[in-house]
Amino acid sequence: MQVSELGTRELRRRLTHAGLCLQTGPFRTRIHSRIPAVADGIAFQYRDFPVVPADSFCDFRCHLRAPRTLRRFHRPQVLFLADGRSIFKPLAYHQAFPMLEWGMNWCVANQTPEHLVFHAAALARGERALILPAPPGAGKSTLCAALAQRGWRLLTDESTLLDPASGSVCGPARPVSLKNASIEVLRRFAPEAVIGPACHDTIKGTVAHMRPPEGSALAAGRPARPAWLVFPRYQPGAETRLTPRHPAEAFMEMASQAFNYANLGRTAFHATADLIDQVEAYDFVYSRLEEAIDCFDALAD
Amino acid sequence: MRWPTDGTRDLARLLADPESAHTLSPLQWEGVVTAGRETTLLGTLWHRLNQAQCQTAVPQAVAWHLRGAQRVADRQAEALRWELRELQDGMLQRMAAPILLKGAAYLLADLPNARGRFCNDIDLMFPEDQLERAESLLFFDGWLGSHHDEYDQRYYREWMHELPPLQHQRRGTTLDLHHNILPRTFRVTVDAERLWRHSQPLPDPWRFRVLCPVHRVLHCVVHLYSETDWDRGLRDLYDIHALIGHCTAEEGAGFWDALISEAETLGLGWLLAPAVRDCQQRFRLPVPAEADRRLRRHQGLAALRPLRRRVFHYGLNTRTTRTPARDALARGLLFLRGHWLKMPPGLLVRHLTYKALHGDKDDPPTPQANQPEQHG
């Protein structure tokens, strides 16, 4: 069953009672919340994702609620709780849905047992995967959203999961988080993209999420072979430039982008080394999205 | 939040009786994973299930989490051994061998509760007059102090049983240097000399000592039952349970006699009695009738007994609970109790007042990972 088949009333009932058990790729998350913005955000963004019965086993438990203080009457706030514990400092109440997204990212980064989790976007063309690690502000999400609108299957915008045993990657295929100017850039680039309501005044400025294309949502969790590792950097006015990156440098960069590298020890080292062996690594500088997409399409053909 | 299953109870039952894995529903397993994650008992649980050959009763999705935790624990154990080798081959060679406490001791003494157990920091005990020398020597190995505030320095050096934690400048490992197992200002003082006299050297190639089995159990008991923060209470209780179980299996029922007598000598019977009771209740620790009778004498005022039992019971619950309000109340009372025992009233008022007025400034800045925007 998918979120869209539940109907608004049943969705809200689950969120306020036994929890909504949402399947995103390899993970199941039980979400509790009475906050209407959370229900609306889930209905909109996760429309095509599977829901499992409330008595199933879920990997993560997430709960969003207002703090139990007098603040709930004056400039209310929202808390994110994982396993019943508040993880972050509270945010303004209207940022509840972005907070759910950040919280679910936190769960993947901190509670994933077996995969090596990289802070990177990933997309697939056929059986081959493109991995895009980058620090915030490098234009990773914009590029990821644009590629997802042009026939690349979205694996993830945020956490790339590498299975050390098979060497393949997968992702939860969750909504892509767009910030500030990139929201408008993407709207112009792909008018057919479905972008949710903008949330203003977060620490990152204005944030809006792009709904994953239906095909990506339905195939969430399906693994792909890593083929290209590209470190993107948006630079206003720059010519589109794809230059090979030395494997040793690419290795060090990737190791520093893994959330649980130290936890997995030598498994992480070997998995990262195998990943680097499998891929062509590049640095990528761009300013025009259209040219960037052509460049990746040429890479895949 | 009130959860549909009692994850703490199911987790404790699984640790006590791995066969119960056959009876759990998916929702109960979820509670077990949640409670186990909170108390860092997932790796321990996987080890227990394997030992009892019950791992096949664990659903695939659950086994994923348990196995993952066991791997992290193995990796931590490997890193810890390496760190301990670095320590003993460094400046500490200039001193008499210190006593290893807690997790690192369980690991090197190869005790059953070490398997699957998470352990990040190292606790070392030195004779009191050598503590500051150890601190200055370790500085040359890269171990630096963490609390630079004058009040905190005084808090640790004058009132506590340990120095402000040291941290390795490159690797970030935490190292605690103790001179005793309870704060100087605690209700009872333990004769550290006695701990040293009974301590035992670890086999080669290790140049560390460990407490004798009886003192090891008692240290674990006083650590939890004098604590202000019961967040991982269940894990500490499991250590007590596993250590007692191991020792009685090795030394027979005579161990109980030795344990209780030593607790009485050190004036710790009143902490041992509730610990044993909670182990019985949570993990079904078998207690011989004679030991039970002797421990009964240490239960304290009869009028307060039911309240005390409940406070410990609810305080041991995790957040995956069916009684969130009572658990929160119990944690609050345990916090007050811990402070009450730790310092005489005058000092306590002074300490809490200082912390209330200056606490915010002293708290370390929120780590980057706890800013929600770091994850999006």
Side-chain angles (χ1 to χ4, degrees):
Chain A
M1 184 183 257
Q2 290 173 7
V3 171
S4 58
E5 297 167 68
L6 278 182
T8 317
R9 179 180 280 187
E10 174 62 13
L11 178 70
R12 290 202 175 189
R13 200 188 63 79
R14 291 202 186 188
L15 282 169
T16 51
H17 288 83
L20 177 79
C21 301
L22 190 64
Q23 177 107 39
T24 52
F27 306 117
R28 286 176 179 177
T29 311
R30 184 182 302 276
I31 306 168
H32 281 100
S33 187
R34 296 188 172 279
I35 302 172
V38 171
D40 296 344
I42 291 173
F44 186 85
Q45 294 289 348
Y46 289 96
R47 195 188 66 172
D48 306 313
F49 283 78
V51 174
V52 293
D55 56 3
S56 317
F57 172 84
C58 287
D59 300 281
F60 312 133
R61 277 183 171 175
C62 301
H63 183 190
L64 285 111
R65 64 167 171 81
R68 296 194 179 104
T69 58
L70 288 173
R71 272 297 290 267
R72 82 180 94 170
F73 301 110
H74 175 67
R75 296 211 209 158
Q77 292 179 311
V78 57
L79 288 176
F80 175 85
L81 300 96
D83 295 349
R85 186 169 65 101
S86 175
I87 301 295
F88 305 128
K89 287 185 175 165
L91 292 183
Y93 192 77
H94 75 276
Q95 297 174 19
F97 183 72
M99 197 178 205
L100 170 68
E101 286 299 312
W102 292 327
M104 286 170 78
N105 291 340
W106 183 91
C107 289
V108 173
N110 290 278
Q111 301 184 335
T112 298
E114 230 159 40
H115 291 103
L116 185 57
V117 187
F118 293 106
H119 186 202
L123 301 112
R125 179 58 83 70
E127 298 305 308
R128 293 180 300 169
L130 160 70
I131 302 170
L132 300 165
K140 158 180 73 103
S141 292
T142 322
L143 199 53
C144 171
L147 287 163
Q149 291 299 333
R150 294 290 169 87
W152 288 72
R153 177 164 74 86
L154 173 69
L155 299 184
T156 175
D157 159 43
E158 173 72 18
S159 31
T160 299
L161 309 165
L162 173 65
D163 177 7
S166 69
S168 63
V169 291
C170 70
R174 295 188 11 240
V176 180
S177 151
L178 298 165
K179 285 137 227 152
N180 303 315
S182 66
I183 303 171
E184 211 32 59
V185 168
L186 194 80
R187 276 213 178 98
R188 273 203 310 273
F189 173 80
E192 68 282 10
V194 187
I195 299 175
C199 193
H200 303 285
D201 305 322
T202 75
I203 295 188
K204 299 200 162 189
T206 302
V207 172
H209 287 86
M210 183 193 88
R211 180 199 288 164
E214 191 180 353
S216 301
L218 292 176
R222 187 190 300 162
R225 302 299 306 174
W228 310 281
L229 177 61
V230 180
F231 299 89
R233 188 158 52 88
Y234 171 78
Q235 195 182 309
E239 291 298 316
T240 308
R241 212 167 56 232
L242 189 69
T243 43
R245 182 93 185 242
H246 193 279
E249 269 177 40
F251 177 96
M252 292 309 286
E253 190 75 36
M254 278 312 266
S256 72
Q257 294 291 335
F259 289 110
N260 53 349
Y261 193 87
N263 274 348
L264 295 185
R266 68 167 65 82
T267 310
F269 174 83
H270 290 301
T272 310
D274 291 347
L275 172 78
I276 300 296
D277 280 345
Q278 284 189 68
V279 297
E280 299 166 21
Y282 297 101
D283 274 322
F284 183 62
V285 180
Y286 77 102
S287 63
R288 289 178 293 274
L289 214 40
E290 216 43 88
E291 280 181 26
I293 305 301
D294 291 343
C295 185
F296 285 104
D297 285 344
L299 206 57
D301 289 337
Chain B
M1 169 142 202
R2 194 165 172 273
W3 295 99
T5 69
D6 186 341
T8 320
R9 195 198 57 198
D10 292 332
L11 172 63
R13 200 175 53 169
L14 275 170
L15 286 166
D17 170 24
E19 292 286 335
S20 64
H22 294 277
T23 63
L24 295 188
S25 72
L27 209 53
Q28 280 179 302
W29 276 115
E30 186 182 311
V32 168
V33 169
T34 312
R37 209 153 38 201
E38 184 180 329
T39 52
T40 66
L41 278 167
L42 287 183
T44 305
L45 177 60
W46 185 241
H47 171 70
R48 277 290 285 152
L49 290 164
N50 272 288
Q51 206 182 25
Q53 302 194 321
C54 291
Q55 70 275 33
T56 48
V58 184
Q60 200 52 46
V62 179
W64 199 42
H65 287 274
L66 304 190
R67 217 171 35 224
Q70 158 92 63
R71 275 195 206 131
V72 174
D74 286 350
R75 158 79 195 129
Q76 280 186 357
E78 194 187 353
L80 193 58
R81 280 175 195 277
W82 186 87
E83 194 75 80
L84 289 166
R85 258 194 305 271
E86 287 288 296
L87 261 179
Q88 74 167 16
D89 295 344
M91 295 303 265
L92 285 187
Q93 287 181 80
R94 292 159 182 263
M95 300 187 70
I99 295 180
L100 266 185
L101 300 171
K102 309 264 319 180
Y106 306 152
L107 179 72
L108 295 196
D110 197 23
L111 295 172
N113 58 328
R115 272 158 239 154
R117 189 182 188 276
F118 279 24
C119 179
N120 280 319
D121 42 5
I122 300 172
D123 299 89
L124 288 178
M125 189 164 101
F126 290 90
E128 189 171 354
D129 56 356
Q130 289 174 37
L131 197 61
E132 299 205 331
R133 174 150 183 262
E135 187 188 19
S136 0
L137 282 176
L138 285 165
F139 175 82
F140 294 100
D141 282 340
W143 297 93
L144 309 182
S146 55
H147 288 60
H148 300 296
D149 175 71
E150 212 172 289
Y151 181 86
D152 283 346
Q153 286 289 336
R154 185 161 173 216
Y155 170 81
Y156 279 105
R157 288 175 200 272
E158 271 185 40
W159 301 324
M160 289 299 111
H161 54 303
E162 58 188 326
L163 295 182
L166 302 180
Q167 202 171 32
H168 196 274
Q169 58 170 350
R170 297 229 320 269
R171 299 189 293 276
T173 321
T174 308
L175 176 63
D176 287 330
L177 303 184
H178 304 247
H179 59 78
N180 206 328
I181 57 172
L182 278 170
R184 279 182 226 271
T185 51
F186 194 75
R187 223 23 78 76
V188 190
T189 41
V190 170
D191 175 14
E193 184 50 41
R194 199 177 163 84
L195 302 177
W196 277 99
R197 228 175 16 250
H198 290 94
S199 70
Q200 305 161 344
L202 281 170
D204 273 350
W206 296 108
R207 256 192 85 252
F208 292 108
R209 301 180 72 83
V210 287
L211 295 173
C212 71
V214 164
H215 286 152
R216 195 147 54 209
V217 172
L218 288 176
H219 178 217
C220 207
V221 167
V222 299
H223 186 79
L224 176 60
Y225 284 79
S226 70
E227 183 58 88
T228 50
D229 172 9
W230 277 54
D231 252 13
R232 285 182 192 167
L234 198 70
R235 198 272 301 258
D236 290 353
L237 189 72
Y238 184 74
D239 279 335
I240 300 171
H241 166 78
L243 289 177
I244 294 181
H246 174 72
C247 292
T248 47
E250 298 258 296
E251 301 175 24
F255 180 77
W256 279 107
D257 208 39
L259 178 66
I260 298 172
S261 298
E262 186 64 13
E264 285 169 348
T265 309
L266 294 174
L268 299 172
W270 59 289
L271 293 175
L272 180 63
V276 169
R277 219 195 97 80
D278 287 332
C279 284
Q280 264 179 305
Q281 212 188 28
R282 293 282 178 170
F283 302 119
R284 301 182 196 165
L285 176 72
V287 182
E290 170 61 13
D292 198 52
R293 197 185 53 75
R294 284 183 73 187
L295 284 170
R296 248 173 239 269
R297 289 208 296 269
H298 299 286
Q299 284 178 339
L301 274 178
L304 286 176
R305 221 171 280 161
L307 173 69
R308 199 178 295 132
R309 280 182 187 175
R310 272 189 209 143
V311 169
F312 290 138
H313 176 84
Y314 290 113
L316 284 166
N317 274 345
T318 64
R319 290 183 177 84
T320 310
T321 179
R322 296 184 53 74
T323 50
R326 268 173 275 180
D327 297 353
L329 180 64
R331 293 274 171 106
L333 289 172
L334 284 168
F335 179 80
L336 294 177
R337 173 185 173 275
H339 276 295
W340 178 248
L341 295 173
K342 190 155 78 172
M343 295 173 161
L347 185 58
L348 180 59
V349 168
R350 211 173 115 194
H351 176 63
L352 293 181
T353 312
Y354 181 89
K355 281 289 161 187
L357 295 176
H358 303 269
D360 274 354
K361 270 183 281 171
D362 297 342
D363 281 343
T366 314
Q368 290 267 301
N370 288 357
Q371 304 289 344
E373 297 80 5
Q374 292 294 321
H375 293 274

